């Protein structure tokens, strides 16, 4: 953003509805701690058809409501990422934060699928349109990176490689559409707790933090599989350094993985910091079989069938 600040061109004042996707980390390699206290990452994101919706409407003050998946566990004050996104955009644009944000959640709360980050991305796009602040996607992504490491990807969508804390994203070439069955848990997992368990296990194993390094080469196999579009190759290349820490904190997820794989899934992986488990499936019939097995076994609080890649945060035309 230029030294002259953000230009305000004036919005229409009509409500704006934006949808932003949840994500699965097809690869998540975790390096050592950075000076800012976060971990160095190399990850491959893929946006899924399960997403969040934010409706921004004119209001005399900043207000927020939340409905849908896990709404009772989501704050509506400045702890809410959508609220923080609106406040940040208003501050940088020099406009009063007068907006009502109605958030409709589909992505599980604390499920490792970046639902809060999707809310923030949707709020940035919606408020930008409502207030007419005229930011580019690149400028919105810079703001998004200040709000959370996954927000820039929720703006971009599709398939992308993330580096740094995950906030530096570049699109990745991926052929075809992938089908997934998601096993949702009744309770979430704390992302800091999962990273803390990873650090603890590395110390216990005698691994020095400085020895843990990640490089884009560690995801080359997956990127090649995505370019080919071969579902078996993609499944074989799925990797998540946070999976074992998540399983240590939530041992029941091992049974979830076993049930899905025994039912015929191509592969299964804990999504991000968990506890959502994502099963890659080859076609409708296999997906149905995996979903039925997960439901019948009782290992999942809920089961969803989704596809990827999905587009990033976008205004939904015709919705008011």
């Amino acid at each position: 953003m230029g030294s002259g600040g953000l230009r305000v061109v004036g919005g229409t004042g009509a409500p704006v509805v934006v949808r932003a996707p949840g994500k699965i980390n097809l690869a998540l390699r975790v390096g050592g701690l950075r000076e800012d206290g976060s971990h160095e990452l190399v990850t491959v994101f893929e946006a899924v058809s399960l997403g969040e919706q934010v409706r921004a409407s004119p209001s005399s003050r900043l207000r927020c409501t939340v409905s849908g998946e896990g709404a009772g566990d989501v704050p509506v004050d400045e702890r809410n990422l959508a609220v923080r996104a609106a406040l940040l955009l208003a501050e940088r644009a020099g406009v009063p934060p007068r907006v009502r944000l109605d958030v409709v959640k589909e992505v599980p709360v604390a499920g490792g699928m970046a639902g809060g980050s999707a809310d923030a991305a949707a709020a940035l796009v919606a408020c930008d349109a409502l207030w007419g602040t005229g930011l580019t996607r690149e400028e919105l992504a810079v703001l998004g990176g200040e709000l959370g490491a996954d927000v820039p990807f929720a703006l971009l969508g599709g398939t992308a490689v993330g580096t740094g804390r995950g906030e530096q994203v570049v699109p990745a070439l991926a052929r075809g559409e992938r089908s997934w069955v998601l096993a949702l848990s009744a309770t979430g997992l704390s992302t800091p707790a999962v990273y803390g368990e990873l650090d603890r296990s590395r110390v216990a194993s005698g691994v020095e933090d400085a020895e843990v390094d990640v490089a884009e080469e560690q995801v080359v196999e997956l990127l090649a599989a995505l370019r080919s579009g071969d579902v078996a190759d993609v499944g074989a290349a799925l990797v998540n350094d946070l999976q074992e820490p998540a399983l240590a904190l939530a041992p029941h997820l091992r049974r979830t993985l076993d049930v899905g794989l025994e039912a015929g899934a191509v592969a299964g992986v804990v999504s991000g910091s968990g506890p959502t488990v994502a099963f890659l499936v080859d076609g409708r019939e296999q997906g149905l079989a995996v979903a039925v097995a997960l439901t019948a076994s009782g290992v999942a609080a809920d089961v969803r069938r989704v596809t990827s890649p999905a587009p990033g945060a976008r205004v939904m035309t015709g919705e008011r």
Side-chain angles (χ1 to χ4, degrees):
M1 287 170 280
S3 59
L6 306 179
R7 63 186 183 280
V8 180
V9 298
T12 64
V16 180
V17 178
V18 174
R19 184 174 175 83
K23 59 80 180 171
I24 296 172
N25 296 87
L26 306 185
L28 179 53
R29 308 310 306 265
V30 182
L33 283 170
R34 296 153 46 107
E35 290 185 3
D36 63 5
S38 61
H39 288 76
E40 194 73 28
L41 302 178
V42 173
T43 185
V44 178
F45 293 110
E46 189 148 85
V48 299
S49 54
L50 193 70
E52 307 277 274
Q53 181 174 290
V54 173
R55 184 178 191 266
S57 309
S59 176
S60 60
R61 59 185 177 88
L62 178 55
R63 302 173 57 199
C64 180
T65 71
V66 180
S67 60
E69 179 76 33
D73 297 323
V74 181
V76 294
D77 55 18
E78 291 186 25
R79 294 171 294 168
N80 185 296
L81 274 172
V83 172
R84 288 168 56 192
L87 288 170
L88 180 61
L89 177 59
E91 175 193 344
R92 299 296 169 83
V95 299
R98 295 173 182 164
V99 62
R100 172 174 170 153
L101 300 174
D102 295 301
V103 180
V104 181
K105 296 192 66 62
E106 292 180 358
V107 178
V109 177
M113 296 186 66
S117 296
D119 294 339
L124 284 174
V125 173
C127 290
D128 174 65
L130 181 70
W131 296 334
T133 50
L135 272 69
T136 65
R137 278 299 171 116
E138 290 75 16
E139 290 171 324
L140 289 176
V142 170
L143 295 183
E146 296 182 32
L147 294 163
D150 292 335
V151 179
F153 174 70
L155 288 162
L156 176 66
T159 309
V161 176
T163 55
R165 295 179 296 117
E167 85 286 4
Q168 301 170 28
V169 292
V170 294
L173 179 63
R175 186 185 303 275
E177 182 180 82
R178 276 156 291 287
S179 297
W180 303 86
V181 178
L182 304 179
L184 310 186
S185 291
T187 56
L189 272 176
S190 161
T191 297
V194 176
Y195 274 99
E197 175 62 20
L198 174 66
D199 293 337
R200 186 205 63 76
S201 66
R202 285 176 171 174
V203 170
S205 301
V207 177
E208 296 289 338
D209 190 68
E211 297 174 356
V212 182
D213 193 19
V214 293
E216 291 186 41
E217 289 76 12
Q218 293 185 325
V219 299
V220 165
E221 181 182 351
L222 173 61
L223 293 174
L226 289 168
R227 286 194 298 271
S228 74
D230 185 273
V231 65
D233 288 348
V234 172
L238 298 179
V239 60
N240 181 4
D241 288 348
L242 293 182
Q243 179 159 304
E244 285 303 316
L247 294 177
L249 295 175
H252 67 279
L253 296 179
R254 294 188 187 277
R255 177 61 181 152
T256 306
L257 281 162
D258 289 343
V259 169
L261 294 173
E262 289 166 4
V266 174
V269 66
V270 172
S271 178
S273 57
T276 301
V277 179
F279 293 98
L280 180 63
V281 294
D282 189 5
R284 177 179 173 81
E285 288 189 8
Q286 189 179 89
L288 181 59
V290 171
V292 168
L294 290 167
T295 302
S297 67
V299 296
D302 198 3
V303 176
R304 304 287 179 86
R305 296 169 63 191
V306 301
T307 58
S308 67
R314 66 199 190 282
V315 175
M316 305 299 290
T317 59
E319 297 193 32
R320 290 287 185 263

